[in-house]
């Protein structure tokens, strides 16, 4: 998935090349589900696991999930299901 420049520059979660933990989690989630060249793609996108269309926009993801709590990661309820 190509992450459009507008998403990187309008949500306030990147600054001087650094990403917030929330933005980084979102970006990695997309990468492992949509980029066949990504490490661990075979465990996610390669198995057919997808991310909901609404979450293509980081601001929607942030609205639904909130800020990433320190020390935690995003998980799926069903290990075989989608995000």
């Amino acid at each position: 998935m190509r992450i459009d420049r507008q998403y990187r520059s309008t949500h306030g979660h990147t600054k001087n090349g650094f990403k917030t933990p929330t933005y980084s989690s979102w970006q990695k989630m997309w990468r492992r589900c949509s980029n066949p060249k990504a490490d661990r793609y075979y465990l996610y996108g390669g198995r057919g696991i997808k991310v909901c269309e609404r979450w293509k926009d980081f601001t929607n993801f942030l609205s639904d999930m909130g800020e990433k709590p320190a020390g935690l990661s995003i998980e799926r309820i069903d290990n075989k299901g989608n995000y």
Side-chain angles (χ1 to χ4, degrees), residues 29 32-33 44 49-52 55 74 76 81-83:
M29 174 186 65
R32 66 181 169 254
C33 290
Y44 294 88
I49 295 170
K50 298 179 178 156
V51 180
C52 72
W55 284 3
I74 188 165
R76 291 168 285 122
N82 297 324
Y83 285 100

Side-chain angles (χ1 to χ4, degrees), residues 32-48:
R32 66 181 169 254
C33 290
S34 63
N35 183 351
K37 294 181 181 180
D39 292 341
R40 300 171 39 144
Y41 172 81
Y42 70 99
L43 295 171
Y44 294 88
R47 290 180 38 218

Side-chain angles (χ1 to χ4, degrees), residues 9-43:
S9 60
T10 61
H11 51 66
H13 279 258
T14 60
K15 186 172 184 177
N16 298 328
F18 294 98
K19 302 168 194 151
T20 65
T22 304
Y23 185 77
S24 183
S25 288
W26 171 80
Q27 196 174 43
K28 289 174 185 176
M29 174 186 65
W30 269 108
R31 188 174 296 124
R32 66 181 169 254
C33 290
S34 63
N35 183 351
K37 294 181 181 180
D39 292 341
R40 300 171 39 144
Y41 172 81
Y42 70 99
L43 295 171

Side-chain angles (χ1 to χ4, degrees), residues 43-78:
L43 295 171
Y44 294 88
R47 290 180 38 218
I49 295 170
K50 298 179 178 156
V51 180
C52 72
E53 287 294 314
R54 176 174 161 74
W55 284 3
K56 279 188 176 181
D57 183 333
F58 174 73
T59 55
N60 289 337
F61 172 79
L62 183 60
S63 175
D64 291 349
M65 298 301 290
E67 295 288 340
K68 178 184 183 283
L72 297 180
S73 62
I74 188 165
E75 299 288 336
R76 291 168 285 122
I77 294 171
D78 177 359

